[in-house]
Structure formats: structure tokens, C-alpha cells
């Protein structure tokens, strides 16, 4: 579903992604871990072209990531993204947040968008919050609304960039549960997270980044129990 080859990214003089290669199969859940500043967010942002790569190739479902225009809008619809800080429209209700993009980008009718939005809000467990503005919801509920909004576009894949990092600890579980459910339903997912329990449970593969490079990748139990590289071992010793 996602194929990355030789991806390089600079911010000015700062080389933040070095020859990154990554494949994510249809239905696969890849968890990306690594220290702060290692390039995890930049990699995610290149995948739906919130950042432009400087060199290399990124294919989504066989199609090169487009630079602009309608093709880019289609890519963004196909590859949903969930951020640390929810990024909901604050002056709209939760229901409207979920309805908006399918109507604008996919040309879905208002009635159908509303029906789908109610279904998705029920699926993430916040059906009763539909008429409220985001600020009235807890952080965990807001993040679940953000996931419902991304799902409303019927994406082929979902990117999550530290979706639980801004949450109070008691709300982390409810968001991870929704993500675990999506994974079980076969969604293709790239998840940047520090939740190592989730990584071990839900990941098909763990990718460890450091210094803008993919340093190690492996099946989660093997990776956590016996990392092959010193850098991964050092990182795990600090976070586990
Ligand atoms: P991570 O998500 O792993 O913490 P990032 O991808 O956010 O890492 O950042 C990788 C490196 O790129 C860091 O050194 C960061 O300071 C730098 N960086 C990220 N975004 C920008 C930007 N918009 N402009 C300049 N430097 C950036
Ligand atoms: Mg980041």
C-alpha cells in the first residue's frame, strides 16, 4: 500500500531523513518508534505530502505521491492523518467535523455524510457527543472524533503521529482501543507512538528510527525482547 525508496529530506542545512526505505503492506500495522527528533513526524508528513521530499520515491497504492492539485487532495483523502493535537474545527460541532470533508472532497450528499458520521461516532464510542463543540469534550473524546473524521473519507491507510501524547493518562487507553479495533478490521496503519504496550500488541512490524535513519525493523516480540542494534537497545532501556 505504501512504498518508500531512498527518501531524503533536508530542513535548510539539516539532513533529517537519510535514504529511508519503507514498505507497508495492505492491512499491515507498522509502529514507528525512536527518540525525539529522529524524523518520525517528518516521515509521516512526507507520506501524505504535508512535507515535500527532497529526493526519493513514495508510492501509495502504486501511485507516486502527487505534488499539488486535485491528485494531492485525493491522496490526502486516501491517507488519513491523526495528529497529537486533534486539529478539530473548534467552531463546528463534532458531527459537522466528521461530515465536512466527505461533502467537500468526495462529493458525498449531506444526508449520506450525516448518516456515515453518526455511524463512525458510534464506532469510536462518542455517539452522544455529536452535537457538541470539540472544546466540550475530553481530550480522549476529541481524539476519537479526529479518528472518526479521518475515517469518514474512507481512507486506504491511516497515519497516526503520537495520537495519545497530549492526553491525560486515563484517556490513553480509550484511544488505543479504537486504534486496536481499526487494526483488527484490517486498516493499513503507520503509527508513531511511545506506547510500547500498544506496539507489542498491535504492530505487525516495529520500525526503529534514530538520527533520520531506519536503524532496525522487526516483528514486535523479537524487537522488544532482543533488539539487534546498540541504538535500539539503548532506546528501549530508557523507555521500558
Ligand atoms: P520526531 O517526530 O522523531 O521527534 P521530527 O520529524 O519532528 O522528529 O524532526 C526531525 C528533525 O527535523 C528535528 O531535528 C527537528 O528539529 C527538525 N524539523 C522538523 N520540522 C522542521 C521544520 N518545519 N523546520 C525545520 N526543522 C524541522
Ligand atoms: Mg514527532
Amino acid at each position: 500500500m505504501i512504498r518508500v525508496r531512498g527518501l531524503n529530506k533536508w530542513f535548510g542545512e539539516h539532513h533529517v531523513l537519510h535514504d529511508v526505505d519503507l514498505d507497508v503492506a495492505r492491512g499491515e500495522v507498522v509502529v514507528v518508534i525512536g527518540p525525539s527528533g529522529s524524523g518520525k513526524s517528518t516521515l509521516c508528513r512526507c507520506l501524505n505530502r504535508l512535507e515535500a521530499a527532497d529526493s526519493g520515491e513514495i508510492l501509495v497504492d502504486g501511485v507516486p505521491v502527487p505534488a499539488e492539485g486535485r491528485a494531492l487532495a485525493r491522496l490526502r483523502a486516501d491517507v488519513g492523518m491523526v495528529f497529537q493535537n486533534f486539529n478539530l474545527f473548534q467552531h463546528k460541532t463534532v458531527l459537522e467535523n466528521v461530515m465536512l470533508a466527505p461533502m467537500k472532497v468526495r462529493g458525498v450528499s449531506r444526508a449520506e455524510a450525516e448518516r456515515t458520521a453518526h455511524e463512525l461516532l458510534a464506532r469510536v464510542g462518542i455517539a452522544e457527543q455529536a452535537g457538541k463543540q470539540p472544546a466540550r469534550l475530553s481530550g480522549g473524546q476529541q481524539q476519537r472524533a479526529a479518528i472518526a473524521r479521518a475515517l469518514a473519507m474512507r481512507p486506504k491507510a491511516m497515519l497516526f503521529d503520537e495520537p495519545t501524547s497530549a492526553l491525560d493518562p486515563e484517556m490513553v487507553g480509550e484511544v488505543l482501543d479504537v486504534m486496536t479495533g481499526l487494526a483488527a478490521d484490517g486498516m493499513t496503519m503507520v503509527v508513531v507512538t511511545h506506547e510500547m504496550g500498544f506496539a507489542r500488541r498491535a504492530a505487525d512490524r516495529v520500525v526503529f528510527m534514530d538520527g533520520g535513519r531506519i536503524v532496525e525493523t522487526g516483528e514486535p516480540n523479537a524487537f522488544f525482547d532482543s533488539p539487534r542494534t546498540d541504538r535500539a537497545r539503548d532506546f528501549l532501556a530508557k523507555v521500558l
Side-chain angles (χ1 to χ4, degrees), residues 15-28:
H15 194 178
V16 298
L17 291 176
H18 294 256
D19 297 323
V20 169
D21 295 337
L22 178 69
D23 287 288
V24 184
R26 195 179 303 273
E28 192 178 24

Side-chain angles (χ1 to χ4, degrees), residues 21 24 33 36 39 74 85 98 106 114 122 126 133 138 147-148 179 188 193 197 202-203 206 209-210 213 220 230:
D21 295 337
V24 184
I33 66 173
S36 179
R74 209 171 313 124
N85 291 315
V98 180
R106 296 268 196 226
E114 186 165 347
I126 54 168
Q133 294 203 338
S138 73
I147 293 171
M179 293 166 59
T188 305
T193 187
V206 173
M209 291 186 71
D210 194 16
R213 290 185 166 84
D230 290 341

Side-chain angles (χ1 to χ4, degrees), residues 9-231:
K9 174 70 185 170
W10 281 263
F11 287 115
E13 299 287 286
H14 191 179
H15 194 178
V16 298
L17 291 176
H18 294 256
D19 297 323
V20 169
D21 295 337
L22 178 69
D23 287 288
V24 184
R26 195 179 303 273
E28 192 178 24
V29 177
V30 171
V31 169
V32 180
I33 66 173
S36 179
S38 57
K40 306 180 298 296
S41 293
T42 305
L43 172 59
C44 273
R45 294 167 63 83
C46 286
L47 295 181
N48 69 352
R49 216 171 198 283
L50 290 173
E51 297 288 354
D54 289 303
S55 67
E57 182 182 53
I58 303 175
L59 301 178
V60 173
D61 205 11
V63 178
V65 163
E68 60 191 7
R70 292 169 71 140
L72 179 57
R74 209 171 313 124
L75 170 83
R76 298 248 172 90
D78 282 345
V79 182
M81 183 142 179
V82 173
F83 303 88
Q84 184 172 335
N85 291 315
F86 326 138
N87 291 6
L88 294 166
F89 303 115
Q90 290 300 324
H91 299 292
K92 305 208 175 285
T93 65
V94 167
L95 186 75
E96 288 164 342
N97 264 277
V98 180
M99 290 171 58
L100 221 59
M103 290 165 54
K104 272 197 173 162
V105 180
R106 296 268 196 226
V108 169
S109 73
R110 171 165 282 274
E112 189 186 337
E114 186 165 347
R115 187 161 4 100
T116 304
H118 280 297
E119 272 170 32
L120 289 169
L121 291 175
R123 178 168 173 194
V124 302
I126 54 168
E128 64 291 350
Q129 312 299 330
K132 295 183 186 167
Q133 294 203 338
R136 305 281 307 282
L137 273 56
S138 73
Q141 290 171 330
Q142 288 188 58
Q143 192 57 299
R144 288 185 281 154
I147 293 171
R149 184 177 61 175
L151 291 175
M153 296 298 270
R154 308 251 179 248
K156 294 176 177 172
M158 290 274 286
L159 311 175
F160 294 85
D161 190 3
E162 299 201 28
T164 61
S165 295
L167 298 177
D168 291 333
E170 74 271 22
M171 293 170 189
V172 169
E174 67 198 44
V175 172
L176 294 179
D177 285 349
V178 168
M179 293 166 59
T180 304
L182 273 182
D185 288 347
M187 178 61 78
T188 305
M189 294 166 54
V190 176
V191 183
V192 178
T193 187
H194 298 296
E195 294 292 332
M196 299 301 156
F198 172 82
R200 203 189 259 269
R201 254 189 346 267
D204 295 306
R205 202 147 46 87
V206 173
V207 166
F208 172 71
M209 291 186 71
D210 194 16
R213 290 185 166 84
I214 293 181
V215 171
E216 184 166 342
T217 167
E219 182 273 323
N221 286 326
F223 175 79
F224 287 111
D225 294 337
S226 43
R228 295 187 307 273
T229 59
D230 290 341
R231 283 200 273 177

